[in-house]
DNA sequence: CTTACTTTGTGAATGATTTCACAAAGTACC
DNA sequence: GGTACTTTGTGAAATCATTCACAAAGTAAG
């Protein structure tokens, strides 16, 4: 049973810039769930089940996938292996993504050693720090850590796809400038400060304390039922 | 100069559940910028400038703030000190938020020692780990780390507002269950897995690798202008 | 005190995203 | 092979968020 679906419009010629940012994020989520399903030996999955697991609407799941082609089989659902392969191909995590980390302090070293940050398909080439020796001690990792002064020389010709920034706030713009000058066109910024870059460079932010602070707002609302007007 | 603004409808009676999630997140951003302005001794700020610094639209800034009252002065802008105080009061970061951390592995210990995670107004009471001794070595921190078996007894009566989860994926639901049972109504989950909790409990997710994976999608689009159709 | 200027606060317009709902397509079983 | 059932893919509708644009309100300076 479970014949491979005959019909699959692979890689429809859709402008990548037309796809909403949010769709791409959810694709990463799908990829993750599919991986765990594959690991568990589950072979088929419906949009409804996928949606349930992620707290989404099933139509949304179908629409997201429909942006890139027809991967499903009506009356059946999606073949887990197949869909996963497709999603990884879309996200380009089926080829090697070459990553560097700048700033190997508390946060940076955690990112380096935390399995779960670098997924399959991503390779950390090396780290940079103003104090590579101390940084090397922190990061329990085989990834070499160089002096940040050698940034340009070390990464030239290495085909770096993405730079992860975890440096102090006051130097993040300067570090970003240097990285951009080296031809890196994607930056993942863990530093809670907006950086200015040329339009061709993609920047994403991860703000560790933002959600915490937001949560505080909702906490107070709950902690007492009746609000008294001061 | 710079008289304190006479008019300020403080804490308009707006249902906290009516405020969009995104507004609250931006409020945290405003709070952060305002803090740095205050530090620099800057006393006035316009919605336009605030927007520029955060890559937003000035009308959006004004609308966000307008959800909670009238804090601005037409023809002048906002008083930095004043606005900051207001925003912190809205977010309730002007009082102590009591936080615990469950899971003091690579990520958890980084969160503990990373200045920049716990902002002003948040206090880390203690951490929990299956191996508190090893965890204590990792976390260079004065925060006590207890055995996770003692979770219930240690946090009872401590008035814990928020629990931060950084445990392995396969135990996160169980840990969440225990935490909820202890009466904690807000969870910040760093574990990339959706947890089921009662409706009264607020859960927020921080996914460290999601943005990285999304970035990959955009990287490939840039790296070669002409796409060849296989 | 009056005038010219700036910037807020906000209804209306636009744009984006999510959900609904259903025809079309494929499955599964007899 | 045929029939009943399931689930996809997708326009249309609904919801949510952002931006525009301007009257109202306050500042600043003579």
């Amino acid at each position: 049973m479970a014949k491979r679906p005959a019909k699959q419009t692979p890689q429809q010629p859709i402008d990548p810039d037309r796809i909403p940012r949010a769709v791409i994020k959810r694709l990463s989520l799908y990829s993750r769930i599919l991986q765990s399903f594959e690991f568990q030996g589950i072979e088929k999955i419906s949009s409804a089940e996928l949606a349930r697991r992620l707290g989404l609407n099933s139509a949304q799941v179908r629409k997201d996938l429909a942006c890139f082609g027809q991967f499903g089989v009506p009356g059946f659902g999606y073949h887990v292996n197949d869909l996963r392969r497709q999603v990884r191909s879309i996200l380009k995590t089926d080829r090697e993504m070459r990553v560097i980390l700048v700033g190997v302090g508390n946060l940076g070293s955690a990112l380096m050693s935390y399995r779960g940050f670098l997924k399959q398909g991503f390779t950390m080439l090396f780290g940079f720090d103003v104090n590579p020796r101390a940084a090397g001690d922190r990061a329990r990792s085989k990834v070499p850590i160089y002096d940040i002064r050698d940034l340009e020389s070390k990464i030239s010709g290495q085909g770096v796809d993405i730079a992860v920034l975890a440096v102090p706030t006051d130097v993040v713009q300067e570090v970003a400038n240097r990285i951009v000058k080296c031809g890196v066109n994607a930056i993942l910024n863990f530093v809670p400060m907006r950086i200015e870059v040329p339009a061709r460079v993609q920047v994403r932010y991860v703000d560790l304390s933002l959600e915490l602070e937001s949560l505080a707002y909702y906490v107070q609302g709950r902690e007492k039922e009746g609000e008294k007007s001061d």
Side-chain angles (χ1 to χ4, degrees), chain A residues 61-76:
Chain A
V61 171
R62 294 196 296 278
K63 264 219 160 123
D64 285 350
L65 296 172
C67 290
F68 302 95
Q70 320 239 120
F71 308 125
V73 184
F76 177 88

Side-chain angles (χ1 to χ4, degrees), chain A residues 98-204:
Chain A
R98 297 163 78 80
V99 178
I100 61 167
L101 170 67
V102 187
V104 193
N106 279 321
L107 177 58
S109 59
L111 289 174
M112 257 199 182
S113 35
Y114 174 50
R115 312 164 328 108
F117 175 55
L118 274 204
K119 316 291 282 298
Q120 219 186 331
F122 292 85
T123 306
M124 181 72 78
L125 298 180
F126 22 73
F128 292 96
D129 201 277
V130 285
N131 190 342
R133 187 166 292 268
D137 292 345
R138 268 192 299 272
R140 286 166 299 281
S141 158
K142 271 164 279 175
V143 176
I145 296 169
Y146 300 124
D147 194 300
I148 197 166
R149 279 176 298 190
D150 302 328
L151 186 76
E152 286 79 3
S153 63
K154 291 290 183 187
I155 76 179
S156 94
Q158 292 290 323
V160 172
D161 296 300
I162 301 175
V164 178
L165 305 190
V167 298
T169 308
D170 55 337
V171 299
V172 68
Q173 181 64 62
E174 181 214 319
V175 166
N177 293 346
R178 288 174 65 187
I179 278 170
V180 167
K181 218 171 267 171
C182 292
V184 176
N185 287 331
I187 292 177
L188 181 62
N189 188 8
F190 279 87
V191 183
M193 188 201 179
R194 174 156 286 264
I195 54 178
E196 305 276 351
V197 296
R200 69 161 196 287
V201 180
Q202 292 281 326
V203 183
R204 291 302 126 78

Side-chain angles (χ1 to χ4, degrees), chain A residues 4 45 77 182 221:
Chain A
R4 300 183 58 249
I45 177 84
C182 292

Side-chain angles (χ1 to χ4, degrees), chain A residues 207-222:
Chain A
D207 192 320
L208 295 180
S209 67
L210 196 60
E211 293 288 350
L212 183 68
E213 211 156 45
S214 317
L215 256 185
Y217 173 78
Y218 295 94
V219 166
Q220 36 94 18
R222 311 285 157 185

